[in-house]
Amino acid sequence: MIDEIEESSEKKEKRMSWWREAKFGMFIHWGLYSIPAGVWKGNCIPGIGEWIQYKAKIHVNEYEQLASQFNPTKFNAKEWVRVAKEAGMKWIVITAKHHDGFCMFDTKLTDYNIVKATPFKHDPLKDLADACKEEGIRLGFYYSQTLDWHHPDGMGNDWDYDPEKQDFSKYLREYVKPQIRELLTNYGSVAVIWFDIGTPTPELARELKNLVRELQPDTIINGRIGGGGRWVRGTGDYQEMADNQIPDQKIEGDWETPATINDTWGYKIYDHNWKSAGSLIQKLVDIVSKGGNFLLNVGPTAEGVIPKPSIRILREIGEWLKINGESIYGAKSSPIMIKAEYRATCKAGKLYLHVFAWPWEGKLKVSGVKNHVKKAYILADPNGEGLRYSQDGEDVVIEVPNKPPDPVDTVIVLEMRNSNWP
Ligand code: FHN
């Protein structure tokens, strides 16, 4: 029985501090599945793109052949990092190994990797690590520690392997752990290790967690390291919501929502169901107002290109954040009741009202303000005249223009007389 490495609460606070400020990050799902892009032998395979091997029950020896076609000559790490930066994202998490088992990094544990098995012959994670360092963006790695449809002892592939004969502990100890060691040794400081689905036993989860702590104590571990059964979450540094799930109410403690920008994580050529920039801005605000972080995905093509619609959407989000970022980065969850018409975030002495539904009668009514308001203004217009308001105890009524300056989310700042609330 292995015990978890103990640490002081100060250590955890220090590790989490940048993440709590950062709020908005980029998820990247990129791998061999980007080649079929949702189509196998002429058939559109339903479901998320990176699950194509599972959904179409493609045998390992057939799926493996994709590697010889993987040559992302248009991949440009600096460009990807610039896209993230322009969008206002503060960290990137990229798939080092997804459930298909193909390694997007140089590894000594298997030849089934981008350097040895593809004409590209190059480690894109190295380029990304360099580009991120240069641009001041943090880099983390997604690693599928439980499902591995390629490895004979990994879980999930019962069309090629007999689950009865698999030795998962051996796989985790002799394959997963050495690969995590590589990822935490060869790429400089790693911001996040993003496990998925959960580790089958608490013992194995602890072993993994200890290894990360031993190699890079500042690396944040996400909640899906699990440890109490396949689907049990919560033994990492923060809680991971289900995919695309935003809780109804504020949640105590650190948490994150991972989300798709259309309906897939890995690239699918026929998925055009793009979410609008406006709806994603509102999701980000909603999440921050409930105390969480937002990890928004892009699925680059097999050539190494982030799809144009994703870039356009991210640029629009970035434009909004350039103006309104003060109300997001480093902001705390809402100190007042969340309403359908608005959300709220705050910093010491400032309450940010994010108005989603404009009050057409010209008055925004807010309750629960436990301080004296000294000034009200639109964040996008800090040097403007300010807004007239009246306060009666905890109720504040703000007079607003006829039309919303920003129909997606106009941020109104209420500055307090003293900074002890919110
Ligand atoms: O099965 C995966 C899926 O492919 C994708 O990676 C998402 C991202 O959160 N995680 C799993 C499902 O929860």
Side-chain angles (χ1 to χ4, degrees), residues 22-125:
K23 301 292 173 195
F24 189 32
M26 176 183 269
F27 213 175
I28 305 179
H29 277 67
W30 194 39
L32 292 186
Y33 41 79
S34 315
I35 301 172
V39 183
W40 193 253
K41 298 190 172 157
N43 297 315
C44 289
I45 307 298
I48 40 185
E50 70 284 2
W51 273 73
I52 195 165
Q53 183 180 5
Y54 180 92
K55 294 276 177 184
K57 295 285 177 282
I58 304 168
H59 291 292
V60 161
N61 57 5
E62 208 179 345
Y63 189 85
E64 271 178 343
Q65 315 278 321
L66 290 170
S68 65
Q69 298 168 44
F70 197 64
N71 197 12
T73 49
K74 294 190 180 156
F75 166 69
N76 181 335
K78 286 188 180 171
E79 227 169 85
W80 286 17
V81 174
R82 245 176 268 135
V83 169
K85 217 175 162 177
E86 280 287 289
M89 294 160 145
K90 304 294 185 190
W91 79 105
I92 292 175
V93 177
I94 183 162
T95 44
K97 175 173 87 79
H98 203 266
H99 310 330
D100 66 358
F102 184 72
C103 301
M104 293 293 285
F105 63 104
D106 197 6
T107 169
K108 292 197 167 61
L109 276 297
T110 174
D111 284 351
Y112 195 46
N113 74 63
I114 189 158
V115 179
K116 299 205 182 72
T118 75
F120 191 54
K121 295 190 190 338
H122 187 80
D123 182 345
L125 302 199

Side-chain angles (χ1 to χ4, degrees), residues 211-250:
L211 180 68
V212 177
R213 293 284 186 256
E214 178 200 312
L215 294 169
Q216 290 206 27
D218 288 336
T219 300
I220 292 172
I221 302 172
N222 79 327
R224 291 195 194 163
I225 188 170
R230 247 180 96 168
W231 294 100
V232 175
R233 309 182 165 116
T235 52
D237 285 313
Y238 64 86
Q239 193 185 344
E240 201 72 64
M241 292 297 131
D243 296 344
N244 290 303
Q245 188 212 351
I246 301 179
D248 294 336
Q249 295 297 328
K250 192 158 135 175

Side-chain angles (χ1 to χ4, degrees), residues 121-278:
K121 295 190 190 338
H122 187 80
D123 182 345
L125 302 199
K126 274 254 152 69
D127 295 352
L128 270 174
D130 293 344
C132 281
K133 211 168 163 198
E134 234 177 89
E135 293 288 334
I137 296 272
R138 291 170 196 261
L139 181 65
F141 298 128
Y142 170 107
Y143 187 93
S144 176
Q145 83 279 27
T146 298
L147 295 187
D148 188 324
W149 303 321
H150 183 265
H151 195 290
D153 288 315
M155 280 192 189
N157 180 345
D158 56 7
W159 59 99
D160 284 307
Y161 307 120
D162 177 358
E164 298 290 305
K165 294 193 180 130
Q166 290 182 300
D167 184 346
F168 184 78
S169 303
K170 183 168 182 268
Y171 160 75
L172 193 121
R173 292 187 172 127
E174 294 177 15
Y175 187 79
V176 172
K177 282 171 70 181
Q179 286 206 319
I180 293 296
R181 184 176 286 280
E182 290 179 329
L183 289 170
L184 290 171
T185 310
N186 301 338
Y187 299 88
S189 62
V190 175
V192 180
I193 284 283
W194 213 101
F195 292 113
D196 208 352
I197 306 270
T199 314
T201 71
E203 175 86 2
L204 291 173
R206 264 197 306 273
E207 283 187 33
L208 262 185
K209 194 173 177 183
N210 286 352
L211 180 68
V212 177
R213 293 284 186 256
E214 178 200 312
L215 294 169
Q216 290 206 27
D218 288 336
T219 300
I220 292 172
I221 302 172
N222 79 327
R224 291 195 194 163
I225 188 170
R230 247 180 96 168
W231 294 100
V232 175
R233 309 182 165 116
T235 52
D237 285 313
Y238 64 86
Q239 193 185 344
E240 201 72 64
M241 292 297 131
D243 296 344
N244 290 303
Q245 188 212 351
I246 301 179
D248 294 336
Q249 295 297 328
K250 192 158 135 175
I251 290 194
E252 292 307 322
D254 301 303
W255 61 273
E256 173 182 82
T257 293
T260 51
I261 199 165
N262 47 356
D263 289 332
T264 182
W265 303 89
Y267 178 65
K268 264 180 99 172
I269 197 162
Y270 53 92
D271 183 342
H272 305 297
N273 198 18
W274 305 101
K275 293 169 186 162
S276 69

